[in-house]
Amino acid sequence: MQGFGKFLETFFNAEVAARYLPDILSGMAVTIGVGLAVTVTGLAAGLALAILRAMGRGWMRLPIVAFVDILRALPPLVLIIIFFFAFPMIGVEMSAFTATWLALSLVLAAYAEESVWGGILSLPRGQTEAARSTGLTWWQTMHAVILPQAIRIAIPPLTNRVIAVAKNVALGSVVALSEVLNLAQSATSAAGNPTPLTMAAAAYLVIFIPAMLGARRLESRFQWRT
Amino acid sequence: MTPLLELAGLRKSYGALEVLRGVDLRVFPGELVCIVGPSGSGKSSLLRCCNRLEESTGGHIIVDGEDITRAGVNINQVRTRIGMVFQQFNLYPHLTALDNVTLALRKVQGKSPAEADALGLAALERVGLADKANNHPAQLSGGQQQRVAIARAIVLQPKLMLFDEPTSALDPETVGEVLKVMRELREAGMTMLVVTHEMGFARAAADRVIFMDAGAIVEQGPPAEVFGAPKHDRTRAFLARYTAGH
Amino acid sequence: MDALLTNFFNVGVFKQVLPFLLEGLLTTLGLSVLVIPLGLAGGLAVALLATQGNRLARILVAVYVDLFRALPPLVLLIFIYFGFPFLGIDLPKLLAVALGFLLNNAAYYGEIFRAGLASVPAGQMEAARSTGLTRGQALIHVVIPQAVRNVLPDLLGNSIEVIKLTTIASVVALPELLRIARDAQSLVYNPSPVVLAALIYLALLWPLVRWLSRLEHKNLVAE
Ligand SMILES: Nc1ncnc2c1ncn2[C@@H]1O[C@H](COP(=O)(O)OP(=O)(O)O)[C@@H](O)[C@H]1O
Ligand SMILES: [Mg+2]
């Protein structure tokens, strides 16, 4: 019983929690902001890359495939560290926010391109042919016939990926991005008590469990295919 | 009378493989022409060159007086004047039957949604499916899907309709409903070029039957002649195999 | 251009630090070889509980999976490594990392195995039971092999993610590839070691990513 009391006092210390709650909340705002920014730019860039690849200009394909492969192979933490610590050496200064946002956007773009491209590939050729036979242009066909179907196919793999990449905002703590984990670590050393770390974990759960439930609803909404 | 469709020395190759070896063909307004022939003889390629889903590699394609192989031709406008129906229907699964039919009206012809819907419903009515306007393709039988596909083509009021084996992917019991719609189209004066293995339909409905083999027209004439007294051995062999097989 | 060469691709620095980085690579590989099988075993257990267990077990497993899929692994690792000592429990680095990875990976691999088990028709279990196999035998010899085969691309994909994830061990100063590279960077005051580490990760993982991409597209065509 005494052990349990010590456990509570260590990890769930109300006094420490109250003191650092504002820090944690401001960290949450940063985490959510960066996560949303990454989601928007990453998905948009991935979609654009998939469309470019579908346009099928020979010289476009190779760089896109190489980009996707490289960003799927590189650990995101390595990217963030290179952007933040190495790029200033060649005159490109990046804030912790820029480095984290850019690295994770590129990573998400690669996965999104792959998912949307997979969706496009899985459609029968007849879809394009039918649309073109009624006079639709290439772009109209892409926009009204191909992408709506490809994106629906891409949604289940993509929702999970978006969440996995957005969770990596926590990696920004390594370059002192003032998201939840970073602030919690400073608070823990200042307070000499790990309750802020508990709060950081709780904060991430508060952000990402609703995100996961939302993703699940989105997936079932789009399961119209038989 | 000037032909609505004229192919002059039409050639098509896929790499080294020549699948159309100089085809000459004229289709006149109001005519229903059936193309029969063994698989791989180039029937689909011929049809798909007519609206440039495939680019021909030689010869000319003249539609309604306009050479559509010329550079600078607006192929998308030409395509609204040539309807096409595919073996696999190729309906858009994410759109309702009505939206399938109205997409090109809205996008290519720039019609307002209300106007497009009215025209689309009328087209669905013609194929007997106005009551399925709000169904998605997955909720329709094969025969119904193919009728929606026909509506999608005729709603643009094409002058010429191309059919590539429109009943080959259907269950036997739904073949009849599609052929019936095609016969009604013909009676309404539509010009039609139909690739088919339905010899009964070709015999009863066609004005002219064309037998193709190895990328060339081997013989053509009224159905009674081609089916009743084929001139060529290859035609005879094909018909014998076909009637025996069915 | 010159700045790029001296700072990012400094051959002199490359030569100087390569032996250390290769040692770091060995640690990364060793860590992967430790945590991937652990995660696979944990994941299989999670999936079996989720599909074969009683109602309570299923609910607990579902909660576990959702919690640990929502929690960033770095948060988990920091919590374990920096939090536990406050209780007087000093976990060695490797143990802290292994524990964090196990908790995280079991949830991810568990979801994959669960989907795999769900993809095997119920008739397979029934057929096996009808020939006298026990439930366990039927699972081991009939159901699980098919389940695994059906989700092989996902298992490979997740394993690639796990290898990439080993970089977070650098945050608790476990001397894997990224940590060594960062230490070397501050010693030579030049970022080339980190760039070299990135190149090593690429050389290690690009073939796996290509392989995965081919598996995924093969599945697409087969559908
Ligand atoms: N896209 C293509 N690429 C290469 N060869 C093709 C292609 N489409 C058709 N072919 C070949 O062209 C020939 C004629 O095909 P097709 O016009 O489809 O004949 P049919 O419709 O009479 O069966 C066949 O040998 C076929 O294999
Ligand atoms: Mg054909």
Side-chain angles (χ1 to χ4, degrees):
Chain A
M1 202 58 235
Q2 197 223 339
F4 187 65
K6 182 176 178 206
F7 175 80
L8 277 187
E9 201 186 293
T10 310
F11 287 106
F12 298 91
N13 189 311
E15 187 265 321
V16 175
R19 189 162 9 125
Y20 291 101
L21 186 62
D23 276 8
I24 297 292
L25 288 178
S26 89
M28 277 177 83
V30 171
T31 297
I32 293 172
V34 179
L36 287 178
V38 165
T39 303
V40 170
T41 45
L43 289 181
L47 184 63
L49 286 175
I51 293 171
L52 275 180
R53 188 166 169 188
M55 283 168 77
R57 307 260 182 280
W59 56 270
M60 285 285 220
R61 284 190 177 201
L62 197 63
I64 292 176
V65 173
F67 168 83
V68 169
D69 275 13
I70 290 173
L71 280 135
R72 284 175 67 171
L74 270 184
L77 184 55
V78 172
L79 265 182
I80 293 175
I81 285 176
I82 288 183
F83 284 163
F84 189 76
F85 291 110
F87 270 55
M89 301 287 208
I90 55 166
V92 185
E93 291 279 349
M94 285 193 207
S95 66
F97 166 81
T98 309
T100 309
W101 164 77
L102 185 60
L104 298 183
S105 293
L106 292 175
V107 169
L108 182 56
Y111 284 105
E113 192 281 339
E114 201 51 22
S115 297
V116 175
W117 176 247
I120 292 175
L121 269 194
S122 72
L123 296 178
R125 234 172 77 112
Q127 289 294 308
T128 306
E129 292 180 347
R132 296 308 302 272
S133 81
T134 62
L136 266 65
T137 62
W138 184 91
W139 175 247
Q140 287 171 329
T141 302
M142 197 66 191
H143 169 258
V145 175
I146 302 302
L147 286 181
Q149 298 183 60
I151 288 173
R152 272 172 224 223
I153 296 169
I155 276 180
L158 259 183
T159 51
N160 288 326
R161 190 63 69 183
V162 166
I163 290 173
V165 174
K167 270 164 54 183
N168 279 338
V169 172
L171 297 179
S173 64
V174 176
V175 294
L177 177 73
S178 51
E179 51 67 68
V180 179
L181 180 61
N182 180 34
L183 295 181
Q185 279 182 277
S186 318
T188 295
S189 22
N193 176 290
T195 299
L197 289 180
T198 313
M199 295 168 79
Y204 268 98
L205 293 181
V206 165
I207 296 169
F208 282 104
I209 284 187
M212 271 171 43
L213 298 180
R216 236 169 257 166
R217 283 197 50 186
L218 195 67
E219 275 172 42
S220 53
R221 252 194 60 194
F222 279 110
Q223 258 166 9
W224 99 111
R225 261 178 168 246
T226 42
Chain B
M1 196 162 39
T2 50
L4 185 62
L5 170 72
E6 178 169 6
L7 308 179
L10 181 67
R11 291 183 179 277
K12 171 69 186 170
S13 305
Y14 295 103
L17 177 70
E18 186 167 49
V19 298
L20 294 177
R21 305 160 187 264
V23 174
D24 296 305
L25 173 68
R26 294 166 151 212
V27 180
F28 292 92
E31 233 191 339
L32 193 166
V33 177
C34 280
I35 303 178
V36 301
S39 163
S41 57
K43 307 181 299 294
S44 296
S45 301
L46 184 143
L47 230 55
R48 295 154 60 83
C49 282
C50 292
N51 65 356
R52 285 182 48 187
L53 279 186
E54 297 289 355
E55 295 294 348
S56 53
T57 40
H60 292 279
I61 305 164
I62 295 140
V63 176
D64 202 12
E66 184 182 9
D67 186 343
I68 66 165
T69 53
R70 250 183 336 108
V73 94
N74 183 343
I75 191 61
N76 295 319
Q77 283 306 323
V78 171
R79 281 174 178 158
T80 62
R81 284 183 274 139
I82 306 175
M84 187 168 214
V85 174
F86 302 83
Q87 182 177 345
Q88 300 295 340
F89 333 138
N90 297 342
L91 290 184
Y92 315 130
H94 62 301
L95 300 180
T96 63
L98 183 59
D99 287 342
N100 263 276
V101 174
T102 59
L103 182 66
L105 284 177
R106 289 178 277 126
K107 297 274 174 184
V108 185
Q109 301 195 335
K111 297 236 183 331
S112 73
E115 198 183 351
D117 282 358
L119 290 169
L121 275 174
L124 284 172
E125 184 77 59
R126 270 182 84 179
V127 300
L129 287 172
D131 57 325
K132 302 287 185 193
N134 293 317
N135 289 40
H136 280 82
Q139 300 165 308
L140 302 176
S141 73
Q144 290 172 330
Q145 290 191 51
Q146 193 60 300
R147 282 149 67 198
V148 172
I150 293 174
R152 173 172 70 184
I154 62 175
V155 79
L156 299 166
Q157 300 195 297
K159 298 199 157 171
L160 170 70
M161 286 279 292
L162 308 171
F163 291 83
D164 192 357
E165 300 196 33
T167 58
S168 294
L170 295 176
D171 293 335
E173 65 267 26
T174 62
V175 168
E177 64 191 63
V178 172
L179 293 180
K180 175 167 167 282
V181 167
M182 289 170 66
R183 253 183 246 113
E184 288 167 2
L185 262 184
R186 189 228 173 309
E187 276 152 28
M190 179 64 75
T191 313
M192 298 161 70
L193 187 54
V194 181
V195 172
T196 187
H197 290 305
E198 290 289 330
M199 297 305 162
F201 173 79
R203 191 189 284 267
D207 298 297
R208 189 151 45 111
V209 173
I210 287 175
F211 173 68
M212 265 185 86
D213 194 16
I217 294 179
V218 176
E219 73 173 281
Q220 55 178 307
E225 258 174 46
V226 174
F227 290 120
K231 293 193 197 70
H232 285 263
D233 290 345
R234 275 192 283 172
T235 320
R236 226 167 286 138
F238 171 76
L239 290 174
R241 225 177 322 126
Y242 237 85
T243 31
H246 281 245
Chain C
M1 195 64 218
D2 250 12
L4 194 69
L5 281 184
T6 27
N7 284 299
F8 277 35
F9 302 99
N10 191 316
V11 179
V13 173
F14 278 3
K15 277 193 189 140
Q16 195 185 344
V17 300
L18 187 62
F20 302 100
L21 263 56
L22 288 180
E23 227 168 88
L25 173 63
L26 271 184
T27 307
T28 290
L29 291 176
L31 190 56
S32 304
V33 169
L34 172 71
V35 296
I36 289 175
L38 269 180
L40 284 168
L44 189 57
V46 161
L48 286 174
L49 278 173
T51 54
Q52 317 287 319
N54 61 24
R55 251 190 69 188
L56 181 66
R58 284 173 202 226
I59 292 172
L60 287 179
V61 163
V63 171
Y64 164 81
V65 167
D66 275 4
L67 281 186
F68 283 89
R69 276 161 51 103
L71 196 62
L74 181 59
V75 176
L76 181 61
L77 176 60
I78 301 245
F79 187 82
I80 294 171
Y81 186 72
F82 293 107
F84 278 27
F86 286 96
L87 283 178
I89 307 172
D90 246 326
L91 288 179
K93 281 176 191 131
L94 186 61
L95 200 56
V97 171
L99 180 60
F101 271 68
L102 174 61
L103 288 170
N104 176 257
N105 289 343
Y108 276 90
Y109 281 122
E111 277 296 284
I112 294 171
F113 280 126
R114 198 184 50 71
L117 289 171
S119 74
V120 180
Q124 291 294 313
M125 173 61 97
E126 287 165 7
R129 295 301 298 274
S130 77
T131 63
L133 268 62
T134 65
R135 198 180 162 79
Q137 287 171 323
L139 277 173
I140 291 171
H141 297 292
V142 178
V143 178
I144 293 177
Q146 298 183 57
V148 169
R149 211 192 40 206
N150 289 348
V151 293
L152 222 45
D154 293 331
L155 290 175
L156 174 62
N158 198 52
S159 300
I160 293 174
E161 296 303 320
V162 174
I163 298 175
K164 283 153 62 177
L165 196 59
T166 57
T167 50
I168 67 171
S170 66
V171 177
V172 298
L174 190 94
E176 47 66 76
L177 178 53
L178 179 60
R179 181 78 230 175
I180 302 257
R182 291 195 61 192
D183 290 348
Q185 174 190 4
S186 47
L187 277 179
V188 298
Y189 202 66
N190 177 307
S192 291
V194 182
V195 174
L196 183 57
L199 294 176
I200 294 175
Y201 280 114
L202 267 186
L204 174 67
L205 291 169
W206 197 337
L208 295 180
V209 167
R210 271 286 94 218
W211 184 27
L212 174 64
S213 191
R214 288 189 41 191
L215 281 180
E216 283 171 344
H217 287 166
K218 196 156 76 193
N219 271 17
L220 267 182
V221 174
E223 260 168 26

